[in-house]
Amino acid sequence: MKNINKNIKKQSDHKTINRQMFNSIASTYDFLNHFLSLGTDVLWRKKTIKKLGIDSKHKILDLATGTGDLAKEALKRKPLLVIGVDPAFEMLKRTKKKIKNNFYAIEAFGEAIPIKENFFDRAMISYGIRNVSNRPAVFKEIYRVMKKNGKFAILEFSESKSFIFRGIYNFYFKYILTKLGGLISRNKRAYEYLPESVLAFVTPEKLAKECEEAGFNTELILPIFTGITTLIIVKKN
């Protein structure tokens, strides 16, 4: 029981710290995403929406929606609605200014999504699964709120398959991105956290396995741009 209580406190502290961090960088988040990725993040999100197969009948969950870039891309497919869930209020404020129609924002953590079961046709998360404190609980929640045959996409950073490119990218990630991001956002720790969290994160294969343990079946594991980011799509059968 003592170890369980310690684990619960650790998860609670992690949630609080991450929420504060993302609230603090909300005003510069969009600019830095596009600037520091040299605009490639836009292309990766487009690919995610295309592979997810969204149509006009779908209700979509965008978990860790942030400032809504993935939700905005999904809305180009004219779905019934997109619900964005994120614990950072300052992020959601900017999302609601950016997206006006068929989008609803909910301030909540992924471990407790305030939506009835079997509601969504599609779910997605881009560059946010690293930040959750309890991935198994999040995957079980997503499984709960999704309909049968629903698909869930995860877009996340990963380690490049190219030895040379990996070295160049890791140098950029750890030194240039950290300094520029910290300088512009005025939150150095937030942009130190980014490479730290990526380098310490599980492999795409391990992430897909965790989804399978929640009940999903893996449909796709797709390395993008030499593997510095990976798209995973799983299905609820």
Side-chain angles (χ1 to χ4, degrees), residues 48-60:
T48 298
I49 297 304
K50 182 178 180 180
K51 291 289 185 182
L52 199 49
I54 292 169
D55 67 32
S56 61
K57 298 177 183 178
H58 287 161
K59 292 179 284 187
I60 301 164

Side-chain angles (χ1 to χ4, degrees), residues 21-133:
M21 180 177 71
F22 282 102
N23 275 328
S24 74
I25 63 174
S27 63
T28 57
Y29 189 75
D30 278 346
F31 169 75
L32 283 170
N33 270 357
H34 304 323
F35 175 69
L36 294 173
S37 72
L38 305 178
T40 53
D41 64 308
V42 176
L43 300 177
W44 301 341
R45 289 185 177 92
K46 286 180 182 294
K47 182 178 285 290
T48 298
I49 297 304
K50 182 178 180 180
K51 291 289 185 182
L52 199 49
I54 292 169
D55 67 32
S56 61
K57 298 177 183 178
H58 287 161
K59 292 179 284 187
I60 301 164
L61 168 66
D62 184 23
L63 192 61
T65 192
T67 55
D69 277 349
L70 191 62
K72 187 175 180 181
E73 189 63 37
L75 284 163
K76 293 178 182 178
R77 299 288 178 122
K78 308 295 184 184
L80 283 178
L81 62 86
V82 177
I83 295 179
V85 174
D86 199 290
F89 176 70
E90 291 298 326
M91 290 283 193
L92 292 177
K93 273 173 51 178
R94 285 159 176 80
T95 305
K96 287 187 282 188
K97 289 179 181 178
K98 184 191 296 184
I99 307 174
K100 302 297 183 183
N101 299 317
N102 295 343
F103 177 81
Y104 302 89
I106 298 176
E107 185 181 351
F109 288 100
E111 291 88 344
I113 302 169
I115 298 290
K116 66 180 182 179
E117 62 185 27
N118 305 316
F119 184 78
F120 294 105
D121 302 281
R122 297 289 187 268
M124 54 194 190
I125 182 170
S126 64
Y127 308 109
I129 200 63
R130 283 174 296 106
N131 304 318
V132 305
S133 58

